[in-house]
Amino acid sequence: MIDIQYSAEVRAAKDAGLPIVALESTIITHGMPYPQNIEVAAEVEQDIRDAGAVPATIAVIDGVLNVGLEPGQLKALGQAQGVAKLSRADMAACLATGGTGATTVAATMIAAHHAGIEVFATGGIGGVHQGAETSFDISADLHELAQTPVSVVAAGAKAILDLAKTLEVLETLGVPVIAHGQDEFPAFWSAKSPLAAPLRMDSAADIARAHATRRALGLPGGQLIANPIPKADQIPAEELAPIIASAQADAETHRITGKGVTPYLLQRIYEQTEGRSLIANIALVRNNARLAAEIAKALVSTAQ
């Protein structure tokens, strides 16, 4: 058994049977600079509380799996140097060697499942990278969704990816992709894309029932809830397309590969949009947190 260190707030919520929403920690350590990272993390946690649920930010600290971070831990993590970026492949190694690591989508799903948390809010999942037919660069997030029973609320997959191939892989793996409130699959910074979403649901209650029904059927894996960024906060897809293409060309020129691709592209897009991409990213994460809280509440009601 893996020992889990719960924050006081999360421990009290578990004891009381309250709805809990998991949050990743790479947005804190790898997503933005200090102190903005701490400020945004606190805002997202408060959004969940305001919506009637309890936030549980997840990280590995000194070899201990923490589900829920105390304010001091959050601040320290936001300033820490050399924090590992953990996915399925290296999470156990970090725990075993006493390391400190921030959780990606895949690692957060694993930790949430161990902690009995069924809903997780993030920005966007990883997926199939452009050129994956030769590089085989496909995020572990997709396979995690196929095997770990956590519903993940995201603004689709990151728009730097090959969204069509990402949807194809999710279909092959049997992962339900549910667009919230629209027929199109959202494209992270943009509310819509040319791609149709496989499923549509308009209420948190329906999404919670689908999650519970999968559990009752004994189906492995979770659900991807594709929640579009509010239109007032989006960057239109037609404006972003040439910027993303330019960033990808730069990455190829500089031979950026593996785990370095996504942060490199996001930084180049941030520069070329003069910071608008980060503002949109914060808006969509907060929007996802609010929907995740509603789903978590509905799941608790379904279980009663």
Side-chain angles (χ1 to χ4, degrees):
M1 288 289 292
I2 295 295
D3 289 332
I4 298 177
Q5 178 68 48
Y6 294 101
S7 67
E9 182 182 23
V10 172
R11 169 57 70 188
K14 285 182 66 66
D15 290 344
L18 300 177
I20 303 173
V21 174
L23 297 168
E24 65 167 90
S25 48
T26 51
I27 193 172
I28 300 168
T29 58
H30 295 75
M32 57 192 73
Y34 179 85
Q36 187 181 32
N37 55 353
I38 300 303
E39 294 165 356
V40 171
E43 287 174 347
V44 173
E45 289 193 342
Q46 192 58 48
D47 287 333
I48 290 172
R49 295 186 188 101
D50 291 345
V54 174
T57 300
I58 293 173
V60 175
I61 300 175
D62 297 330
V64 177
L65 179 57
N66 284 257
V67 176
L69 299 180
E70 305 294 353
Q73 290 178 305
L74 191 64
K75 185 175 181 181
L77 187 65
Q79 298 177 82
Q81 301 296 313
V83 177
K85 187 176 181 181
L86 302 179
S87 190
R88 169 169 280 267
D90 43 20
M91 185 177 185
C94 186
L95 287 163
T97 57
T100 293
T103 55
T104 60
V105 168
T108 306
M109 291 181 70
I110 293 167
H113 179 50
H114 275 283
I117 300 171
E118 298 182 275
V119 183
F120 161 38
T122 186
I125 64 162
V128 180
H129 281 263
Q130 299 286 346
E133 59 272 18
T134 56
S135 69
F136 292 91
D137 192 351
I138 301 174
S139 172
D141 295 353
L142 304 187
H143 286 277
E144 206 60 54
L145 278 159
Q147 60 188 311
T148 302
V150 174
S151 280
V152 179
V153 182
K158 294 181 177 70
I160 56 177
L161 303 170
D162 189 322
L163 298 185
K165 286 187 176 67
T166 297
L167 283 173
E168 287 290 347
V169 172
L170 288 168
E171 180 182 16
T172 299
L173 295 173
V175 177
V177 178
I178 304 167
H180 178 242
Q182 65 180 39
D183 296 319
E184 300 86 357
F185 185 66
F188 197 60
W189 296 294
S190 307
K192 295 186 177 183
S193 76
L195 302 169
L199 297 165
R200 170 179 176 165
M201 293 184 187
D202 296 340
S203 72
D206 284 345
I207 294 167
R209 279 192 293 270
H211 179 103
T213 302
R214 286 181 61 82
R215 186 202 308 133
L217 287 169
L219 294 172
Q223 304 181 127
L224 174 60
I225 315 307
N227 187 35
I229 181 174
K231 290 183 180 179
D233 300 308
Q234 74 168 338
I235 303 175
E238 58 272 18
E239 180 181 342
L240 271 174
I243 294 172
I244 293 172
S246 173
Q248 289 167 336
D250 289 345
E252 290 181 14
T253 299
H254 292 92
R255 298 182 179 179
I256 308 297
T257 60
K259 285 187 176 182
V261 172
T262 295
Y264 179 86
L265 292 177
L266 294 179
Q267 178 61 31
R268 291 294 292 125
I269 292 166
Y270 171 81
E271 293 165 0
Q272 293 187 50
T273 60
E274 299 180 335
R276 289 172 61 207
S277 63
L278 180 57
I279 295 171
N281 198 348
I282 293 168
L284 66 84
V285 170
R286 295 186 67 180
N287 188 50
N288 294 342
R290 290 187 285 266
L291 176 58
E294 296 299 328
I295 296 168
K297 289 193 299 181
L299 267 174
V300 169
S301 297
T302 299
Q304 291 173 347

